[in-house]
Amino acid sequence: QSALTQPPSASGSPGQSVTISCTGTSSDVDDYNYVSWYQQHPGKAPKLMIYEVNKRPSGVPDRFSGSKSGNTASLTVSGLQAEDEADYYCTSYGGSYTWMFGGGTKLTVL
Amino acid sequence: EVQLLQSGGGLVQPGGSLRLSCAASGLSFRNFAMSWVRQGPGKGLEWVSFISGSGATRNYADAVKGRFTVSRDNSNNTLYLHLYSLGAEDMGIYYCAKMKGAAGPEMYSFDYWGQGALVTVSS
């Protein structure tokens, strides 16, 4: 059960787009289309932003999108807004009812 | 509206034990699998445990296997996590989380989270 690899930080100016990567292995990200992304503001519980690689829950702005290629998944935030500044975590199902999270990426809106 | 209300965190001595609870409302609790996820101080999220809707299937992260036990009481819509042999590495905020779907692909993400319960291990 190894953690997925995310860059520790990312940044962009308001209105710009930023992409956060999430690299796993052939046993998790590459093997299952069960990658999800979570947004966490300081002191708050995580919030589901993307599930099954590229699906958005009701209420999540379409500025948030997800994709996957091989063992790397990505979250793209378009039209950055100040409220998007938060920590973002990816997670992947790893089989046999196990999940692994990425280390998290701190997104700064400049 | 789905709500997950947690209780049971606190200060415990090294080697001690604790029980966390997560009371669910606004959903057919028995139909949904649940998980526990923790976050060490200043650290990232870590999946801890999974339990199916019926309770028949359970699994744990290697770091807690043999020391933590997940259970649920579907008649009272409550999820539990029993923590034993606690060490400094177990400190942090513990979240209960509902799996998004009752079955199929939607079952593999966490769509509702509790407010978190702080576990502190110190003598």
Side-chain angles (χ1 to χ4, degrees), chain B residues 65-85:
Chain B
K65 200 169 289 185
R67 299 188 300 118
F68 291 9
T69 301
V70 63
S71 62
R72 62 191 297 158
D73 180 349
N74 285 342
S75 62
N76 286 307
N77 293 347
T78 304
L79 173 73
Y80 300 101
L81 185 68
H82 297 252
L83 297 74
Y84 302 98
S85 301

Side-chain angles (χ1 to χ4, degrees), chain B residues 7-77:
Chain B
S7 60
L11 173 65
V12 61
Q13 291 187 337
S17 59
L18 204 60
R19 187 186 79 167
L20 306 180
S21 300
C22 173
S25 61
L27 76 163
S28 296
F29 182 65
R30 66 179 65 248
N31 289 342
F32 291 92
M34 301 288 293
S35 277
W36 289 94
V37 176
R38 69 183 180 183
Q39 187 166 33
K43 296 186 178 179
L45 301 172
E46 178 187 16
W47 172 78
V48 171
S49 182
F50 166 90
I51 184 168
S52 62
S54 67
T57 301
R58 313 177 195 204
N59 203 10
Y60 304 88
D62 289 343
V64 307
K65 200 169 289 185
R67 299 188 300 118
F68 291 9
T69 301
V70 63
S71 62
R72 62 191 297 158
D73 180 349
N74 285 342
S75 62
N76 286 307
N77 293 347

Side-chain angles (χ1 to χ4, degrees), chain A residues 21-58:
Chain A
S21 63
C22 169
T23 302
T25 70
S26 57
S27 299
D28 39 66
V29 175
D30 196 15
D31 207 18
Y32 300 97
N33 285 324
Y34 300 145
V35 174
S36 50
W37 289 88
Y38 301 84
Q39 176 192 67
Q40 187 181 36
H41 286 109
K44 300 294 187 181
K47 175 186 176 183
L48 177 65
M49 304 302 284
I50 296 288
Y51 66 101
E52 291 179 55
V53 176
N54 57 14
K55 297 181 180 179
R56 272 188 316 276
S58 174

